[in-house]
Amino acid sequence: AEDRLADILARGTVRIATTGDYQPFSYKNPVTHEYEGLDIDLGRQLARELGVKLEWVPTSWPQLMADYEAGKFDIVMSGVSINLERQKKALFSIPYLKDGKTPITRCTDAQRFQTLAQIDQPGVNVIVNPGGTNEKFARSHLHHARLTVYPDNTTIFEQIASGKADVMMTDAIETRLQAKLRPALCAIHPNQPFTYSEKALLLPNDFRWKAWVDQFLHQAQARGTLDRLQTRWLSWPWLTQAPQNDLDTLLALMNERLKLMPDVARYKWNEQSAIEDLAREKTILADLVKQAEAAKVSPSLATAFFKAQIEAAKMVQHQLTDSWRQQQASRFEDIPDLKTEIRPRLDALTSQLIDALARNQTTLADPARQPLIESTAQRWIPQTQWGEAAKTASAPLLNPRP
Ligand SMILES: C=C(O[C@@H]1C=C(C(=O)O)C=C[C@H]1O)C(=O)O
């Protein structure tokens, strides 16, 4: 008989399928090309507890069940909703999140759209993304309101903020996330949604493997890991717009590097170790010069640029630890390991940053393009949450160089 758990342990790898298109669960960051989100963190913890390597298997919603039948993965972690159709073929773990459809609207109109009866009125503009459970829900519950089907998931919430639409009904977790990303919007009773559904992990038909996964989730729930993951990924500084050109990409990568610093600082806080690690900095700068030469980037530009990124990284860490010291913060839970998890991601970013420098090199060296660089950086700095550190990071792009 099949014993998937034994297979995984013998193989030394767990294959986790994910779609990469569903914030806050699974999102393929278009700048770093890495997966990020609640289910991604949970997947890393699952692999750690199994004691095996993790292989992400890209899948998509339309392909999910076909990939399952082709045996391409051991588990799906992607914010999958339990549904009895899927369960005719596969198994689900115990649920790790409760959800349901609820409204999101402008905060100024929050009182107008509390109930379905209030929403289903002539003159109310409801907006919905096509093809999924949101559209199904809207079509079966709305008879008087005007329903606009809007295909662009990335700008649909802008339509509400700008008044082109009034309200959307979607998963409560998405309304919470969007309300954090866009302060003009409010999630309406996300704790008492109109419908009830559950998120779980999709598994092959193997009860021993399911028992292991259920125990893992049970512990994550009981120890508070799942609550912490929700808090983390609902306040994550998600990318809201993909970069449009090489200069945007460079700035976005600089931002991605800084986004890793809160975890670096939390790790060091737990270990009570110093923020500055000069040996590590020396290694980075030495590797970098080699990589720069290979990519035909001037080593002096690359060095100046990375010194500024490292300076900014330490500023972010100091700011955070100063505030934690003031608040007498205690230990942080579930922090990724600096050596085996965070620094490898920083190293991957180093290569991507060098590529981006190479693609921007002529622009950066051209005095006629300085005004463009300056205005792009000036727009970028306040869009990040890093304040002075973002200025420090972008200084080498602005200052005229020898
Ligand atoms: C990020 C870290 O903290 C500091 C900043 C570094 C960086 O930006 O790469 C390197 C070493 C430390 O001085 C780290 O320790 O990895």
Side-chain angles (χ1 to χ4, degrees), residues 257 261 264 268 275-278 280-281 284 309-310 313-314 317 338 343 346:
R257 194 178 196 281
M261 295 307 148
V264 175
K268 291 176 180 172
I275 285 173
E276 186 170 66
D277 181 341
L278 291 175
R280 163 72 176 165
E281 291 183 20
I284 292 177
Q309 305 319 301
I310 293 172
K314 289 187 281 193
Q317 294 180 58
L338 181 62
R343 283 183 175 170
L346 283 165

Side-chain angles (χ1 to χ4, degrees), residues 27 101 135 154 178 227 251 255 261 268 321 378 399:
Y27 181 63
K101 304 296 175 198
E135 185 180 3
T154 55
Q178 292 299 331
D227 285 342
L251 290 163
N255 195 19
M261 295 307 148
K268 291 176 180 172
T321 31
Q378 293 313 337
N399 296 342

Side-chain angles (χ1 to χ4, degrees), residues 237-261:
W238 294 96
L239 208 70
T240 46
Q241 213 197 346
Q244 307 293 308
N245 55 48
D246 288 337
L247 195 55
D248 281 0
T249 302
L250 179 62
L251 290 163
L253 283 166
M254 291 158 59
N255 195 19
E256 292 299 327
R257 194 178 196 281
L258 291 175
K259 280 192 205 173
L260 293 174
M261 295 307 148

Side-chain angles (χ1 to χ4, degrees), residues 226-391:
L226 281 169
D227 285 342
R228 285 189 290 274
L229 283 177
Q230 249 204 77
T231 307
R232 173 182 172 86
W233 290 103
L234 285 177
S235 51
W236 187 249
W238 294 96
L239 208 70
T240 46
Q241 213 197 346
Q244 307 293 308
N245 55 48
D246 288 337
L247 195 55
D248 281 0
T249 302
L250 179 62
L251 290 163
L253 283 166
M254 291 158 59
N255 195 19
E256 292 299 327
R257 194 178 196 281
L258 291 175
K259 280 192 205 173
L260 293 174
M261 295 307 148
D263 273 347
V264 175
R266 288 182 196 112
Y267 177 90
K268 291 176 180 172
W269 177 262
N270 283 356
E271 301 297 312
Q272 304 188 336
S273 56
I275 285 173
E276 186 170 66
D277 181 341
L278 291 175
R280 163 72 176 165
E281 291 183 20
K282 224 171 125 187
T283 314
I284 292 177
L285 292 170
D287 284 353
L288 165 105
V289 169
K290 281 186 228 142
Q291 288 192 50
E293 278 165 354
K296 300 203 165 51
V297 173
S298 126
S300 69
L301 168 65
T303 304
F305 175 82
F306 271 89
K307 281 188 172 162
Q309 305 319 301
I310 293 172
E311 223 33 66
K314 289 187 281 193
M315 285 170 76
V316 169
Q317 294 180 58
H318 278 296
Q319 266 174 32
L320 288 168
T321 31
D322 287 352
S323 75
W324 296 334
R325 210 167 288 118
Q326 262 182 8
Q327 302 160 18
Q328 302 187 307
S330 53
R331 250 185 93 79
F332 295 98
E333 306 276 353
D334 308 322
I335 300 307
D337 184 68
L338 181 62
K339 243 210 200 92
T340 59
E341 296 181 65
I342 310 177
R343 283 183 175 170
R345 266 179 258 160
L346 283 165
D347 293 339
L349 276 170
T350 299
S351 308
Q352 295 176 321
L353 278 161
I354 292 196
D355 278 352
L357 276 180
R359 270 179 271 122
N360 281 286
Q361 195 159 222
T362 34
T363 306
L364 293 173
D366 182 355
R369 307 290 279 280
Q370 270 298 308
L372 168 78
I373 298 167
E374 237 160 79
S375 66
T376 309
Q378 293 313 337
R379 239 182 307 119
W380 175 72
I381 290 167
Q383 275 173 28
T384 70
Q385 55 177 125
W386 315 118
E388 286 299 309
K391 263 190 217 165

